[in-house]
Amino acid sequence: MASEGASWGEGGYEAADGAHIQHSDEQVDNIAQDSHVSGDAADNGTDDGGDYDPESVTFDTSAPAPDRAASATPPQRPASKPKMSGGFIVEASDDEEGEEDGDEEENPQPSGNAGPQSTVERADSMPRSASAAPPAPTDVSTAQASAPVAGLNPTALLEARVKEDPRGDMDAWLNLIADHRRHNNLDALRGVYNRFVEVFPQAADIWVEWIELELGLDQFAAAEQLFGRCLMTVPNVRLWTVYLNYIRRRNDLTNDTTGQARRTIAQSYEFVIDNIGVDRDSGPIWLDYIHFIKSGPGQIGGAGWQDQQKMDQLRKAYHRAITVPMSAVNNLWKEYDQFEMGLNKMTGRKFIQERSPGYMSAKSANIALDNITRNLKRTSLPRLPPAPGFDGDQEFREQVEIWKKWIAWEKEDPLVLASDEPKVFKQRVMYCYKQALMALRFWPEIWVDAAEWCFRNDIRENDKDAGTDMLLKGIAANPESVLLAFKRADHVEANYPSKEGDIAEYAKAVRKPFDDVLDTLYAMGDKVKEREQLEVSTLKQAAAQENGTENPGEDNGDEDDEQKQSQKSVTEERIQAIKKGYAVESQLLSRTISYVWIAMARAMRRIQGKGNQTDGGLRKVFTDARQKGRLTSDVYVAVALLESVVYKDPVGAKIFERGSRLFPTDENFMIEYLKFLHSKDDTTNARVVFETCVNRLVAKPETLHKAKALYAYFHKYESQFGELSQISKLEHRMAELFPEDPDLSRFTARYSSNTFDPIGAPIIISKAVQMRPKQIMPTIEQPTSMRNSPLPVRPEQSPRPQYARATASPKRPLGIDDEELNPPKRMARGVSPLKGAAGRRLDQQRRNQSSALHRDITFLLTILPPAHTYDGQILNAAGLTSLLRDTALPEPSVWNSKLGGRQSAPGHGRQVSGDFAGRPISPYSRLQSTTGGYRNSPLRTDSGGGHHINPYAPPPDPPSAPPAWPPAPTGYAQPPPGQYGGYRY
């Protein structure tokens, strides 16, 4: 503890009477100049890390990066004597950390958006000269400034788009190529082609267009040069087909007296098949090759040596072709079968039987590949992956998943080649990776996966390590990829040939991938700042022109002033929106840069140890990182923990102290700082740091939400190791600051952990009540309640699965009565009162007493759906009867007259009885008959007998009154519109 106390004293915690670095707003700026300057000066030469002090590190200002904004104006600070704070340069430069220090001293209160990005954000917001002009335009500004001029020249506009976004704007590339083709500008077209293939070296379609252009102009030398550049790196069937066509074009077989042309073409076919013969689309090449062999000298089936040679070549080609999963494998197998059976049926059956398993495997594999690649888009023009949540991201990731499934399928070895033909197996997997990388060139995961597979299987191509070549090509395609840089550095560190030799060279080789990706990321950060300044300046100029600031002498009254103020506020809002958008982008870049520095620091510590500020090691990396800037607090946390945990050096506490001044409102850093102090049992300074930070955060409403994480951590620590009074005070403060949080959550946070929650802990008291299974199927215990109860939840696989056929056994009812508390068993069932015949009799009596209906009818009613579930039309029987009774039908004579006087056929007519003359055919008509036959008929409702009077029949009309429904022109009565077809039942 003595050493720890000394270290804290050296770090500036030597104040007495409890004033352990009170990080107040007034003191936080003076610490950097007073306490640490003097204290650290005394530390030099001591045993507590005196050889390295983060406060005394000076920057190498021999070649500082120029500030573009400041370059347009005279320097505001003397270059001969830069301003220092705690040994750090704080002059205006691209060093974000230095700007942070200077800004922090000028403005003690941190801005609301301070945190991990506070270094970058506050550096960008430093006051500049009022006469400072916008920065000199570079690529972006040139493109934007020339936009009005380029609008008159589409080619110049496309060139500007290509220069601005070479990897992303594929449409601009293609339109530019088409524009030069349309104008027949061959020299410019060749230049565009050359630039395009430098950015997209595996774009087979563009290579084919360029080669066909040269071949169309009979530029064979240029075409051969292009073949040499692309043929071995672009495994594309179309490109290799163009190569074959060129070879056959240059070697005439019609005048081949020496046979050299045929040998050249045969060698070209073998060369092509060896490289792309495993492609699924290589079927036409296989068929052409077999046709080429058949067209050669010799006769199949002949006895001469040339005939035998031709037969052997053809058989060998067939044997290779029928084992490749492709769409033409069936046709090739049929041709091979005819070839063998045409030579000799006995030997043909033997050959076919031997080759049949290979063909069947290829056929089934082709079907499997068809299923896997059904939605795959095999393209050679790669696109940048859309950001998550934006247009096209889902489709792009679906394509990635399909490629991964294809690669995984190849690795599973469905053709059983790994044991018998390992070279062919590795060739197929490598070919699949290369095909995927043509479409997913800008997806680093595929590059890393391919390199890792090559390393595990010791793949070598052209006497080079294929895995290393994959990583280098991937880094060239994605120079900003942190994943590829990490993988490359890790591979170099693990496989460096002379680890025991020169350590400096070893460290330099490991550090190179980190430095390359950092250079790319820093350049991207500069480009982001340039774009932001350009957009803001352009917006301000446009607003100035709209507000009429060009004529300041004019005065149009108060209304114009109000309009100008509103326009100015709108402009300010747009500027703030632009700055926020670019701040998010800068934040992402800064965090990425910081983690690259952290990875480099850990790697250099493993190789060179702690090191120093000049020779190398951990401290050299930390010094370089602070010189280049754009760091977040994560770098300080990582380096401080390495110094403290690995080397037990008190310098770690000083680094934390330095970070607390650079990032005073970064809650994540402060939590790590508190954890560090608690690990050192320095609770006093931990409480000081906590109080200082939360007071700073709660002082402004925009930073209040950041204090919640600090309060949560400190509350958990106090709950575990503190006093109850301190816990209560802390909870009271949390309740005042965050009233939206429930009080119970703060109380339960005392006792909760990652694996236990006092609220959500399920304590089972009664299994019968608390663990009752949910009812899925209906029961037959209570038919009455079933008809009146709502339907249970049921799946939709069948029309009515909830009405499944149930058993009618009285001994084992299906469900559990809701009023009984039965213990859960393997199957829900009722409890019989008695066993045997007595129980069955009692149960039968109970059932008969509960319902007056028969048992079968009761059972039918239980399985029928309730009436409220029927949503169709319900038949009204009384209405239908009334309709039939009240409908007046015409007499036959009237009916025949309406039909044009046609009479019924003899033998089919009905003789009308005189007793029923003068009445409608229907016996239920309202018309009164003049005869007494129907009056005495038992069909009448008012006659005696066993018939009852229809209660729904309307009262009879008076004799003189006309019918309620007058006859229609056709003789039919037309009822009023109703429910079915115009009738109301």
Side-chain angles (χ1 to χ4, degrees), residues 163-190:
K163 188 176 182 181
E164 166 65 17
D165 191 7
R167 288 189 295 168
D169 203 344
M170 179 67 71
D171 296 334
W173 280 110
L174 299 179
N175 293 333
L176 184 61
I177 291 173
D179 184 73
H180 287 307
R181 275 183 171 273
R182 185 167 52 251
H183 294 88
N184 201 22
N185 193 351
L186 298 181
D187 294 335
L189 180 60
R190 290 189 180 97

Side-chain angles (χ1 to χ4, degrees), residues 529-563:
K529 293 178 66 175
E530 291 172 1
R531 287 177 178 173
E532 178 183 3
Q533 294 173 358
L534 179 64
E535 290 191 19
V536 171
S537 61
T538 304
L539 185 60
K540 288 182 178 179
Q541 292 176 3
Q545 293 178 359
E546 292 179 359
N547 294 333
T549 55
E550 298 173 351
N551 299 321
E554 297 181 359
D555 188 6
N556 297 327
D558 296 338
E559 295 182 359
D560 292 345
D561 294 340
E562 294 178 358
Q563 184 178 3

